[in-house]
């Protein structure tokens, strides 16, 4: 990705510190956070300074490398167990987080001694970050074949480069199609309550020079019914073995409306988002977040301060599930680094 003409990844590691684009300030300010230890990385995942399944997976992998660096010789494995749990407990839904933490942890456990465990933790974490970039780039190549010149595409939330180390999942095919010289127009759902569509996807699309309109979440059905949308594509936080897919709250209703209007609905995700141990969507843990996110909104003041305001009256109550599950029957295809599969074929595709 390029931000103002300079190449970046969303998360990376430098001299033992984890660095990341602070997504809590976007699009109003561009700031790089420098996190000295795994506790700070865990906090950044919880606060959503880094968010998006792939990006939190990469952040957690680097956090595990920090755990390995920080752990004292005496009590090394106790420290590792504690740090592993801390990172796993940050957010419950995105499979990439659990995949990454386990992969680093397993490699450390296989190491013959502590010195080697520290070394492999770093090596495996970097491998997870690099693989994330390669997988997303490959998703872009496969997905771009589905995009005709002049396509009008609806997306939900942010599954672009800010949701991964680079490229993104749902937006990677759009970025690839653009590089192939195709014209693309994106309907970008605002994605209440945290508005990842408005604050992150719209900003990314501007950086990439892609034409778009942010639409209120409630407007997607209107545009689909009018025939203004050629297909929809979103990312995923966890894909069950039967193809049921958890993604940002509101994805399910977009898929149902797309189905009703005979509009193809695609999911794009690397294989690291697929949880074959989870037989179906009703077994995917769904995060429920603070009611304040629904009862208020975050924005910027005239003097550039990012702040929250209250929308509802003081005593109001809310419910705030962060994800929902789209049953496989509404998904036309799942785009992974291996190609486009029918949801019911996803198990065979990645094994
Ligand atoms: O709560 P977030 O912002 O971490 O959720 C991210 C999403 O659900 C995105 O829609 C995305 O598709 C999945 S992450 C690549």
């Amino acid at each position: 990705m390029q931000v103002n003409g300079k190449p970046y990844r969303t998360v990376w590691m430098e001299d033992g510190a984890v660095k990341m684009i602070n997504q809590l300030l976007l699009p109003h300010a561009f700031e790089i956070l420098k996190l000295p230890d795994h506790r700070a990385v865990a906090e950044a995942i919880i606060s959503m300074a880094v968010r998006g399944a792939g990006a939190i997976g990469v952040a957690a992998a680097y956090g595990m490398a920090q755990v390995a660096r920080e752990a004292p010789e005496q009590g090394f494995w106790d420290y590792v167990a504690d740090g592993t749990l801390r990172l796993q407990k940050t957010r419950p839904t995105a499979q990439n987080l659990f995949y990454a933490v386990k992969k680093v942890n397993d490699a450390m456990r296989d190491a013959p001694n502590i010195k080697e465990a520290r070394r492999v933790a770093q090596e495996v974490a970097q491998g997870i970050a690099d693989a994330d970039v390669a997988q997303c780039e490959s998703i872009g190549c496969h997905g771009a074949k589905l995009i005709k010149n002049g396509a009008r595409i609806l997306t939900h939330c942010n599954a672009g480069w800010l949701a991964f180390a680079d490229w993104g999942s749902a937006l990677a095919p759009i970025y690839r199609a653009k590089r192939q010289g195709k014209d693309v127009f994106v309907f970008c759902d605002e994605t209440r309550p945290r508005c990842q569509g408005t604050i992150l996807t719209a900003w990314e699309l501007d950086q990439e020079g892609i034409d778009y309109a942010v639409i209120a979440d409630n407007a997607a059905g209107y545009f689909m019914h009018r025939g203004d949308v050629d297909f929809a594509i979103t990312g995923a936080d966890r894909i069950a073995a039967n193809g049921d897919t958890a993604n940002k709250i509101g994805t399910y209703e977009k898929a149902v409306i797309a189905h009703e209007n005979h509009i193809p609905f695609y999911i794009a995700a690397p294989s690291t988002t697929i949880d074959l141990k989870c037989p179906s969507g009703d077994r995917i843990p769904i995060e429920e977040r603070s009611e304040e996110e629904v009862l208020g909104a975050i924005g910027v003041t005239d003097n550039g301060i990012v702040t929250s305001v209250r929308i509802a009256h003081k005593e109001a109550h809310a419910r705030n599930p962060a994800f929902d599950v789209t049953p496989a029957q509404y998904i036309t295809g799942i785009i992974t680094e291996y190609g486009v599969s029918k949801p019911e074929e996803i198990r065979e595709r990645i094994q």
Side-chain angles (χ1 to χ4, degrees):
M1 76 177 87
Q2 305 257 339
V3 180
N4 301 325
K6 194 173 162 202
Y8 281 96
R9 282 190 178 184
T10 300
V11 192
W12 68 99
M13 198 160 180
E14 211 174 284
D15 301 329
V18 176
K19 293 193 163 181
M20 57 178 62
I21 297 171
N22 184 357
Q23 300 193 37
L24 294 173
L25 298 185
L26 287 174
H28 311 293
F30 185 75
E31 177 192 82
I32 304 300
L33 289 174
K34 183 176 176 188
L35 309 174
D37 57 38
H38 86 276
R39 286 183 171 77
V41 171
E43 281 309 315
I45 298 172
I46 292 168
S47 72
M48 294 179 65
V50 61
R51 39 63 54 200
I56 63 177
V58 171
Y62 285 140
M64 285 297 294
Q66 288 180 313
V67 167
R69 289 169 75 101
E70 293 157 21
E73 291 278 323
Q74 282 289 343
F76 181 85
W77 292 110
D78 285 347
Y79 191 98
V80 170
D82 186 62
T84 301
L85 199 61
R86 178 169 293 106
L87 288 162
Q88 282 172 331
K89 279 166 58 181
T90 49
R91 292 192 74 190
T93 305
Q95 171 63 7
N96 306 57
L97 171 80
F98 299 96
Y99 164 85
V101 170
K102 182 174 182 324
K103 187 158 174 138
V104 181
N105 194 294
D106 286 354
M108 288 173 71
R109 302 269 166 195
D110 286 346
N113 53 50
I114 289 177
K115 183 166 176 246
E116 191 55 14
R118 292 192 215 273
R119 193 192 66 74
V120 297
Q122 177 68 48
E123 184 180 282
V124 173
Q126 190 55 47
I128 288 170
D130 294 342
D132 180 87
V133 177
Q135 287 156 355
C136 287
E137 186 169 4
S138 181
I139 287 169
C141 295
H142 293 299
K145 294 180 197 146
L146 302 168
I147 300 178
K148 294 196 178 77
N149 189 31
R152 299 156 305 166
I153 302 170
L154 182 129
T155 192
H156 190 69
C157 192
N158 172 264
W161 28 260
L162 289 166
F164 289 86
D166 202 351
W167 279 101
S169 54
L171 298 187
I174 296 170
Y175 298 154
R176 177 61 66 191
K178 167 88 179 173
R179 283 161 177 70
Q180 292 168 346
K182 296 176 196 166
D183 272 336
V184 186
F185 180 85
V186 178
F187 287 99
C188 171
D189 292 345
E190 61 173 347
T191 319
R192 279 283 293 156
R194 292 189 66 99
C195 293
Q196 288 95 328
T198 314
I199 65 176
L200 304 176
T201 300
W203 181 76
E204 268 198 46
L205 293 171
D206 266 328
Q207 296 292 323
E208 295 279 339
I210 289 168
D211 204 9
Y212 68 89
V214 175
I215 59 170
D217 290 323
N218 321 342
Y222 168 81
F223 287 112
M224 287 198 211
H225 187 66
R226 277 167 53 104
D228 291 346
V229 176
D230 297 312
F231 74 92
I233 183 167
T234 76
D237 289 84
R238 194 182 298 220
I239 300 173
N242 69 346
D244 291 352
T245 295
N247 191 50
K248 182 52 56 190
I249 190 75
T251 303
Y252 167 49
E253 62 194 45
K254 304 300 177 283
V256 173
I257 302 168
H259 184 78
E260 170 71 15
N261 289 281
H262 312 290
I263 295 169
F265 185 91
Y266 289 95
I267 294 287
S271 56
T272 47
T273 306
I274 299 167
D275 181 4
L276 290 182
K277 291 213 179 76
C278 186
S280 62
D282 53 7
R283 302 279 286 277
I284 298 176
I286 300 294
E287 176 180 12
E288 179 133 3
R289 297 184 58 82
S290 148
E291 58 178 11
E292 302 308 317
E293 291 181 350
V294 175
L295 299 172
I298 294 177
V300 69
T301 63
D302 284 348
N303 28 358
I305 311 287
V306 176
T307 187
S308 62
V309 292
R310 180 92 183 173
I311 300 172
H313 67 285
K314 200 156 56 67
E315 297 80 14
H317 298 292
R319 290 288 304 274
N320 187 13
F323 303 97
D324 59 25
V325 174
T326 299
Q329 71 188 92
Y330 296 113
I331 300 169
T332 310
I334 298 179
I335 311 167
T336 67
E337 68 272 27
Y338 301 117
V340 186
S341 311
K342 295 220 167 298
E344 61 274 17
E345 291 164 2
I346 199 68
R347 178 188 284 276
E348 293 76 50
R349 183 62 137 174
I350 67 159
Q351 274 177 340

Short mmCIF file of all heavy atoms in Angstrom, two decimals, residues 48 51-54 56 91 156-159 163-164 169 196 234-237 247-248 251 287 322-323, ligand 1:
data_model
loop_
_atom_site.label_atom_id
_atom_site.label_comp_id
_atom_site.label_asym_id
_atom_site.label_seq_id
_atom_site.Cartn_x
_atom_site.Cartn_y
_atom_site.Cartn_z
N MET A 48 -8.75 -1.47 19.39
CA MET A 48 -8.96 -1.42 17.94
C MET A 48 -8.10 -0.36 17.25
O MET A 48 -8.44 0.13 16.18
CB MET A 48 -10.45 -1.30 17.57
CG MET A 48 -11.20 -2.56 17.96
SD MET A 48 -12.97 -2.57 17.61
CE MET A 48 -13.04 -2.51 15.85
N ARG A 51 -7.18 -3.33 13.77
CA ARG A 51 -8.39 -4.15 13.67
C ARG A 51 -8.43 -4.76 12.28
O ARG A 51 -7.61 -4.41 11.43
CB ARG A 51 -9.68 -3.37 14.03
CG ARG A 51 -9.79 -1.95 13.58
CD ARG A 51 -9.79 -1.74 12.10
NE ARG A 51 -10.80 -2.53 11.41
CZ ARG A 51 -10.78 -2.81 10.12
NH1 ARG A 51 -9.75 -2.38 9.35
NH2 ARG A 51 -11.70 -3.52 9.54
N GLY A 52 -9.41 -5.65 12.09
CA GLY A 52 -9.43 -6.41 10.84
C GLY A 52 -8.73 -7.74 11.09
O GLY A 52 -7.64 -7.76 11.67
N ALA A 53 -9.36 -8.83 10.62
CA ALA A 53 -8.90 -10.17 11.01
C ALA A 53 -7.41 -10.40 10.73
O ALA A 53 -6.66 -10.87 11.59
CB ALA A 53 -9.74 -11.21 10.28
N GLY A 54 -6.97 -10.08 9.51
CA GLY A 54 -5.58 -10.34 9.14
C GLY A 54 -4.61 -9.49 9.95
O GLY A 54 -3.58 -9.97 10.45
N ILE A 56 -5.01 -8.11 12.91
CA ILE A 56 -4.85 -8.48 14.32
C ILE A 56 -4.12 -9.83 14.44
O ILE A 56 -3.41 -10.04 15.42
CB ILE A 56 -6.18 -8.44 15.13
CG1 ILE A 56 -7.22 -9.43 14.65
CG2 ILE A 56 -6.75 -7.04 15.18
CD1 ILE A 56 -8.49 -9.42 15.51
N ARG A 91 -9.65 -10.46 21.44
CA ARG A 91 -10.91 -10.41 20.68
C ARG A 91 -11.29 -11.85 20.31
O ARG A 91 -10.41 -12.64 19.96
CB ARG A 91 -10.78 -9.54 19.42
CG ARG A 91 -10.59 -8.06 19.76
CD ARG A 91 -10.75 -7.17 18.55
NE ARG A 91 -12.14 -7.04 18.15
CZ ARG A 91 -12.53 -6.47 17.01
NH1 ARG A 91 -11.62 -5.99 16.16
NH2 ARG A 91 -13.81 -6.37 16.70
N HIS A 156 -18.80 -3.97 2.48
CA HIS A 156 -19.26 -3.65 3.84
C HIS A 156 -18.05 -3.63 4.76
O HIS A 156 -17.15 -4.45 4.63
CB HIS A 156 -20.26 -4.74 4.27
CG HIS A 156 -20.99 -4.42 5.54
ND1 HIS A 156 -21.92 -3.41 5.62
CD2 HIS A 156 -20.93 -4.99 6.76
CE1 HIS A 156 -22.41 -3.37 6.85
NE2 HIS A 156 -21.82 -4.31 7.57
N CYS A 157 -18.03 -2.71 5.69
CA CYS A 157 -16.94 -2.58 6.67
C CYS A 157 -15.62 -2.26 5.95
O CYS A 157 -15.62 -1.63 4.88
CB CYS A 157 -16.83 -3.84 7.51
SG CYS A 157 -15.77 -3.67 8.97
N ASN A 158 -14.51 -2.67 6.52
CA ASN A 158 -13.22 -2.47 5.85
C ASN A 158 -12.49 -3.80 5.79
O ASN A 158 -12.10 -4.35 6.83
CB ASN A 158 -12.34 -1.44 6.57
CG ASN A 158 -10.94 -1.42 5.96
OD1 ASN A 158 -10.02 -2.07 6.47
ND2 ASN A 158 -10.77 -0.71 4.86
N ALA A 159 -12.33 -4.31 4.59
CA ALA A 159 -11.51 -5.50 4.36
C ALA A 159 -10.47 -5.15 3.32
O ALA A 159 -10.22 -5.88 2.36
CB ALA A 159 -12.37 -6.68 3.95
N ALA A 163 -7.02 -3.85 7.05
CA ALA A 163 -7.51 -5.02 7.77
C ALA A 163 -6.53 -6.20 7.68
O ALA A 163 -6.77 -7.27 8.23
CB ALA A 163 -8.88 -5.45 7.24
N PHE A 164 -5.42 -5.99 6.97
CA PHE A 164 -4.39 -7.03 6.80
C PHE A 164 -3.03 -6.35 6.91
O PHE A 164 -2.95 -5.17 7.23
CB PHE A 164 -4.55 -7.72 5.43
CG PHE A 164 -5.77 -8.60 5.40
CD1 PHE A 164 -7.02 -8.08 5.09
CD2 PHE A 164 -5.68 -9.94 5.74
CE1 PHE A 164 -8.16 -8.89 5.11
CE2 PHE A 164 -6.80 -10.75 5.76
CZ PHE A 164 -8.05 -10.21 5.43
N SER A 169 -8.50 -8.17 1.67
CA SER A 169 -9.17 -9.34 1.09
C SER A 169 -10.25 -8.87 0.11
O SER A 169 -10.07 -8.96 -1.11
CB SER A 169 -9.75 -10.24 2.19
OG SER A 169 -10.59 -9.48 3.05
N GLN A 196 -16.44 1.70 10.04
CA GLN A 196 -15.19 1.35 9.33
C GLN A 196 -15.28 1.65 7.84
O GLN A 196 -14.26 1.92 7.19
CB GLN A 196 -14.86 -0.15 9.53
CG GLN A 196 -14.41 -0.53 10.92
CD GLN A 196 -15.54 -1.03 11.79
OE1 GLN A 196 -16.68 -0.60 11.63
NE2 GLN A 196 -15.25 -1.92 12.70
N THR A 234 -17.41 -8.96 0.45
CA THR A 234 -16.98 -8.55 1.79
C THR A 234 -15.85 -9.48 2.24
O THR A 234 -15.60 -10.51 1.63
CB THR A 234 -18.13 -8.65 2.83
OG1 THR A 234 -18.33 -10.03 3.17
CG2 THR A 234 -19.43 -8.04 2.32
N GLY A 235 -15.25 -9.11 3.35
CA GLY A 235 -14.24 -9.97 3.96
C GLY A 235 -14.91 -10.97 4.89
O GLY A 235 -16.13 -11.20 4.82
N ALA A 236 -14.12 -11.57 5.76
CA ALA A 236 -14.62 -12.55 6.73
C ALA A 236 -13.74 -12.52 7.96
O ALA A 236 -12.54 -12.27 7.87
CB ALA A 236 -14.60 -13.95 6.13
N ASP A 237 -14.36 -12.78 9.09
CA ASP A 237 -13.58 -12.91 10.33
C ASP A 237 -13.37 -14.38 10.70
O ASP A 237 -12.38 -14.73 11.33
CB ASP A 237 -14.26 -12.14 11.46
CG ASP A 237 -14.11 -10.65 11.22
OD1 ASP A 237 -14.92 -10.09 10.47
OD2 ASP A 237 -13.14 -10.06 11.73
N ASN A 247 -18.84 -12.21 9.64
CA ASN A 247 -18.20 -10.97 9.22
C ASN A 247 -18.92 -9.82 9.96
O ASN A 247 -19.86 -10.05 10.74
CB ASN A 247 -18.28 -10.79 7.70
CG ASN A 247 -17.39 -9.65 7.22
OD1 ASN A 247 -16.21 -9.59 7.58
ND2 ASN A 247 -17.93 -8.73 6.44
N LYS A 248 -18.46 -8.63 9.71
CA LYS A 248 -18.98 -7.45 10.42
C LYS A 248 -20.51 -7.42 10.44
O LYS A 248 -21.16 -7.74 9.44
CB LYS A 248 -18.41 -6.19 9.74
CG LYS A 248 -18.80 -4.88 10.35
CD LYS A 248 -18.55 -4.79 11.83
CE LYS A 248 -17.12 -5.06 12.23
NZ LYS A 248 -16.94 -5.20 13.71
N THR A 251 -23.51 -7.77 7.56
CA THR A 251 -23.16 -8.52 6.35
C THR A 251 -24.29 -9.47 5.96
O THR A 251 -24.65 -9.60 4.78
CB THR A 251 -21.86 -9.32 6.58
OG1 THR A 251 -20.83 -8.41 6.97
CG2 THR A 251 -21.43 -10.05 5.32
N GLU A 287 -18.46 -11.56 19.17
CA GLU A 287 -18.11 -10.51 20.14
C GLU A 287 -19.28 -9.56 20.34
O GLU A 287 -19.90 -9.12 19.37
CB GLU A 287 -16.90 -9.74 19.58
CG GLU A 287 -16.46 -8.56 20.40
CD GLU A 287 -15.24 -7.86 19.77
OE1 GLU A 287 -14.90 -8.15 18.59
OE2 GLU A 287 -14.65 -7.02 20.45
N ALA A 322 -20.85 -7.35 17.36
CA ALA A 322 -19.90 -6.79 16.38
C ALA A 322 -19.91 -7.56 15.07
O ALA A 322 -19.41 -7.07 14.06
CB ALA A 322 -18.50 -6.78 16.98
N PHE A 323 -20.43 -8.79 15.07
CA PHE A 323 -20.40 -9.63 13.87
C PHE A 323 -21.72 -10.35 13.72
O PHE A 323 -22.48 -10.48 14.68
CB PHE A 323 -19.26 -10.67 13.98
CG PHE A 323 -17.91 -10.02 14.19
CD1 PHE A 323 -17.38 -9.90 15.46
CD2 PHE A 323 -17.20 -9.49 13.12
CE1 PHE A 323 -16.15 -9.27 15.67
CE2 PHE A 323 -15.98 -8.86 13.31
CZ PHE A 323 -15.46 -8.75 14.59
O1 LIG B 1 -14.28 -5.23 14.14
P1 LIG B 1 -13.29 -5.22 13.01
O2 LIG B 1 -13.14 -3.88 12.36
O3 LIG B 1 -11.99 -5.86 13.39
O4 LIG B 1 -13.97 -6.19 11.96
C1 LIG B 1 -13.44 -6.38 10.68
C2 LIG B 1 -14.45 -6.92 9.77
O5 LIG B 1 -15.39 -7.56 10.16
C3 LIG B 1 -14.27 -6.65 8.34
O6 LIG B 1 -15.53 -6.67 7.75
C4 LIG B 1 -13.48 -7.60 7.57
O7 LIG B 1 -14.22 -8.05 6.52
C5 LIG B 1 -13.02 -8.80 8.19
S1 LIG B 1 -11.41 -8.51 8.62
C6 LIG B 1 -10.60 -8.76 7.14
#
